Amino acid sequence: DIVMTQSPDSLAVSLGERATINCKSSQSVLYSSNDKNYLAWHQQKPGQPPKLLIYWASTREYGVPDRFSGSGSGTDFTLTISSLQAEDVAVYYCQQYYSTPETFGQGTKVEIK
Amino acid sequence: EVQLVESGGGLVQPGRSLRLSCAASGFTFDDYAMKWVRQVPGKGLEWVSGISWNSDTIDYADSVKGRFTVSRDNARNSLYLQMNSLRAEDTALYYCAKAGCGGTRCYINYWGQGTLVTVSS
């Protein structure tokens, strides 16, 4: 199984400041045949289901604000919130869909400092 | 608007069975793979199962293999999860999720609200 490890577990950032979440996979999720990283980021606000933010490691889902961006390749990935807003308080999960069982990171809780 | 509405959750005794349903609308159901993901309240996300658009590819987590069966009825725009021999550790909120592609090796782009399954005597 591919193990997904996020860091940090929690993060407190001032409004308007940058938040950075890292995700490391225990093996590459880059498929050489199509040069795509099978990595997604989901946001889960309290009491709500998750919501897709980023897929193929760096493609922003339609309607997601452009302050959210994803980067990385192979085994190391980053989700960046360029200017944290109050509505971004949530738990963020990375997920690999390269192979089954699909696996999620443990989650990173983002709060306002 | 994509809608995924789960039903069938509830309180069930260990060893018993339960069948979850997911009614899909707002998209062409038989074009997309579907998945089940569960979450113990207050904890992280665990992928349970995935099924391709035409049911040719079906996968399960090891924790449920041999006990759970996923299926879909494209004529009814519905996804199902038959859960047998339930255990206390199956207690969780079960989400129905739509993939962004027809194959199972694809990201989830929509999530339902979830249905709670509690396994307890």
Side-chain angles (χ1 to χ4, degrees):
Chain A
D1 297 4
I2 299 177
V3 177
M4 308 299 290
T5 304
Q6 292 181 226
S7 61
D9 290 334
S10 64
L11 185 59
V13 176
S14 300
L15 288 172
E17 295 300 304
R18 178 183 300 259
T20 301
I21 301 169
N22 299 301
C23 174
K24 188 173 184 68
S25 58
S26 61
Q27 60 191 78
S28 176
V29 298
L30 173 63
Y31 190 43
S32 55
S33 297
N34 59 12
D35 199 32
K36 287 187 173 184
N37 287 282
Y38 284 56
L39 189 285
W41 289 95
H42 302 273
Q43 173 195 61
Q44 188 174 31
K45 296 182 180 180
Q48 295 185 18
K51 173 190 169 186
L52 174 68
L53 296 176
I54 304 284
Y55 58 98
W56 303 129
S58 60
T59 301
R60 195 180 305 114
E61 170 69 335
Y62 180 77
V64 172
D66 60 8
R67 63 180 181 273
F68 291 93
S69 63
S71 63
S73 184
T75 61
D76 292 280
F77 301 91
T78 300
L79 175 69
T80 302
I81 310 172
S82 61
S83 176
L84 191 75
Q85 305 300 302
E87 61 265 32
D88 301 334
V89 168
V91 178
Y92 293 84
Y93 295 94
C94 61
Q95 180 212 1
Q96 67 81 18
Y97 46 96
Y98 179 86
S99 65
T100 57
E102 298 181 19
T103 46
F104 293 85
Q106 79 276 19
T108 296
K109 187 173 186 178
V110 174
E111 300 172 309
I112 305 296
K113 186 187 289 183
Chain B
E1 179 195 3
V2 171
Q3 286 201 318
L4 301 168
V5 180
E6 302 94 337
S7 60
L11 175 63
V12 61
Q13 293 180 328
R16 304 298 290 263
S17 299
L18 212 55
R19 188 194 197 207
L20 304 185
S21 299
C22 172
S25 61
F27 63 101
T28 304
F29 184 71
D30 54 12
D31 277 351
Y32 296 96
M34 298 293 293
K35 307 186 182 190
W36 289 99
V37 176
R38 66 186 181 184
Q39 184 174 36
V40 174
K43 302 296 185 183
L45 298 165
E46 180 188 16
W47 172 86
V48 172
S49 181
I51 183 169
S52 62
W53 68 277
N54 62 357
S55 305
D56 272 2
T57 302
I58 290 176
D59 298 296
Y60 298 99
D62 285 347
S63 58
V64 308
K65 201 172 293 183
R67 300 187 299 122
F68 289 14
T69 302
V70 65
S71 61
R72 64 189 295 161
D73 185 339
N74 287 345
R76 296 178 182 272
N77 290 348
S78 293
L79 175 72
Y80 306 100
L81 187 67
Q82 177 67 43
M83 305 187 295
N84 298 333
S85 303
L86 282 161
R87 305 168 180 167
E89 54 264 36
D90 295 319
T91 295
L93 186 64
Y94 283 72
Y95 292 109
C96 167
K98 171 188 172 294
C101 326
T104 53
R105 289 182 76 211
C106 190
Y107 53 91
I108 290 169
N109 63 351
Y110 287 97
W111 299 73
Q113 292 293 315
T115 187
L116 183 62
V117 172
T118 304
V119 184
S120 175
S121 54

